[in-house]
């Protein structure tokens, strides 16, 4: 969908210090090729459907759907997350529903996903959104990092770009590997200096 395509395109920098990715025309061709590949090969995942701009007009609802998925996907395989995500969204389809839950209910729903503090931080964030932020999830990556517990650079960028259309890079391991190869980066792709350079 368009928001996901924009999100992916925004993740591609114009150049890397080690090797230029080329002229703007070449870069547009690269972006177009990557996005075409994504359109042809993407998996049908429940959070993509919920976060799609065409399926939900309220960006706050889209932001919550992305937020939940990104937190669940931290250190957890996609195949494991799908059922947990569907059950979670059935029980708490909106941020105010989660804010009204008890921590015990959240822990029970999270059981089996591991890294249990993630569920608690998500719940704490929902309580803050409702209690302190007027029920609105922050719409910029900077505000998301500043206001929501446990939301770092990657998660904030994913929420802001997918739900609110902010043009910001979202750099994960896959993006680092692709850009390192395209730019002939001399550093190890997974190293801190390489990741920092690509952000």
């Amino acid at each position: 969908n368009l928001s996901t395509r924009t999100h992916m395109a925004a993740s591609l920098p114009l150049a890397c210090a080690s090797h230029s990715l080329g002229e703007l025309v070449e870069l547009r061709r690269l972006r177009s090729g990557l996005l075409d590949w994504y359109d042809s090969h993407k998996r049908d995942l429940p959070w993509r459907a919920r976060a799609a701009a065409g399926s939900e007009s309220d960006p706050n609802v889209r932001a919550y759907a992305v937020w939940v998925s990104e937190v669940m996907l931290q250190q957890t395989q996609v195949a494991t997350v799908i059922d947990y995500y569907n059950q979670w969204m059935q029980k708490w389809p909106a941020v105010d529903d989660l804010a009204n839950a008890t921590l015990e209910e959240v822990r029970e729903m999270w059981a089996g996903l591991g890294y249990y503090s993630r569920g608690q931080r998500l719940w704490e964030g929902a309580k803050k959104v409702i209690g302190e932020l007027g029920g609105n999830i922050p719409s910029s990556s900077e505000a998301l990092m500043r206001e929501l517990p446990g939301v770092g650079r990657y998660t904030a960028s994913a929420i802001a770009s997918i739900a609110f259309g902010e043009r910001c890079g979202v750099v994960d391991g896959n993006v680092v590997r692709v850009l390192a190869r395209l730019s002939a980066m001399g550093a190890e792709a997974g190293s801190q200096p390489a990741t920092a350079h690509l952000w």
Side-chain angles (χ1 to χ4, degrees), residues 6-168:
T6 302
H7 159 77
M8 289 181 61
S11 299
L12 299 173
L14 292 177
C16 293
S18 60
H19 176 75
S20 171
L21 289 177
E23 300 295 320
L24 189 56
V25 171
E26 180 184 341
L27 185 60
R28 286 187 177 136
R29 198 171 20 244
L30 171 65
R31 285 179 179 163
S32 178
L34 286 171
L35 293 171
D36 288 345
W37 182 92
Y38 171 80
D39 287 341
S40 298
H41 296 87
K42 68 182 176 206
R43 291 185 280 183
D44 184 22
L45 299 169
W47 45 87
R48 288 183 179 159
R50 285 186 183 268
S55 67
E56 175 55 58
S57 61
D58 184 350
N60 208 47
V61 173
R62 291 195 311 268
Y64 173 69
V66 175
W67 183 16
V68 171
S69 70
E70 291 297 335
V71 171
M72 285 186 172
L73 288 163
Q74 293 167 5
Q75 304 295 317
T76 309
Q77 294 181 355
V78 170
T80 302
V81 170
I82 292 171
D83 286 339
Y84 282 92
Y85 181 83
N86 287 332
Q87 291 170 27
W88 183 283
M89 296 304 284
Q90 184 174 357
K91 185 167 182 120
W92 301 305
V95 70
D96 57 318
D97 297 315
L98 177 57
N100 289 324
T102 67
L103 181 55
E104 196 55 43
E105 289 175 305
V106 169
R107 287 181 175 152
E108 184 179 311
M109 180 69 79
W110 201 271
L113 264 180
Y115 301 96
Y116 293 93
S117 63
R118 294 179 298 165
Q120 181 172 336
R121 285 193 307 266
L122 191 54
W123 174 75
E124 291 168 351
K127 288 203 160 295
K128 184 172 184 180
V129 166
I130 299 305
E132 299 176 28
L133 302 176
N136 295 308
I137 296 172
S139 60
S140 74
S141 56
E142 291 295 323
L144 285 156
M145 284 189 290
R146 185 177 60 249
E147 298 290 344
L148 299 182
V151 173
R153 190 174 188 181
Y154 178 88
T155 300
S157 295
I159 296 167
S161 65
I162 295 169
F164 299 107
E166 181 180 328
R167 292 185 61 100
C168 55

